Amino acid sequence: MTAAGDGPWLDEAAGRLVRPFTVSNGRTRPTVALDLMSQVMATGATPLGYLGPEHELALDLCRAPVSVAEAAAHLKLPAAVTKVLLSDLVDCGALTTKPPEFHHNPTDRALLEAVLDGLRRQL
């Protein structure tokens, strides 16, 4: 029995029926450089050839710009597997990607201290 909205790959009692590495055909490295904050978005182009169900879910998810981290969370897949799937879609022209935009220095001490303070308040 599958959980609502999880499709045939998840089972309520057994969990994931297909191991994550099988989703990427055992590949562990994307062909396109993506980090967790990279933005991906569908181009509207139809990919040629067969794509697996996870590719189709990822493409549907990327109708609006989404980060790689968000895509991994929605797909319920490890980030490394998600990067491989997304790079497949970039390679066939179905997705476009752009690096994250920083409006501040990501290693700014004040910013890091504010994040740390926020995390401490959550605990």
Side-chain angles (χ1 to χ4, degrees), residues 43-86:
T43 62
T46 304
L48 298 175
Y50 173 75
L51 293 177
E54 287 83 4
H55 285 92
E56 292 176 17
L57 289 171
L59 189 56
D60 190 48
L61 176 67
C62 296
R63 290 182 188 196
V66 64
S67 71
V68 171
E70 290 174 284
H74 285 289
L75 295 171
K76 299 178 183 169
L77 289 171
V81 173
T82 301
K83 287 179 183 182
V84 172
L85 294 177
L86 295 176

Side-chain angles (χ1 to χ4, degrees), residues 32-43 62 64-70 86-87 90 94-103:
V32 176
L34 297 169
D35 70 26
L36 292 177
M37 295 185 293
S38 295
Q39 297 286 308
V40 289
M41 184 173 171
T43 62
C62 296
V66 64
S67 71
V68 171
E70 290 174 284
L86 295 176
S87 72
V90 170
L95 285 184
T96 186
T97 181
K98 67 178 187 171
E101 295 178 13
F102 291 108
H103 300 290

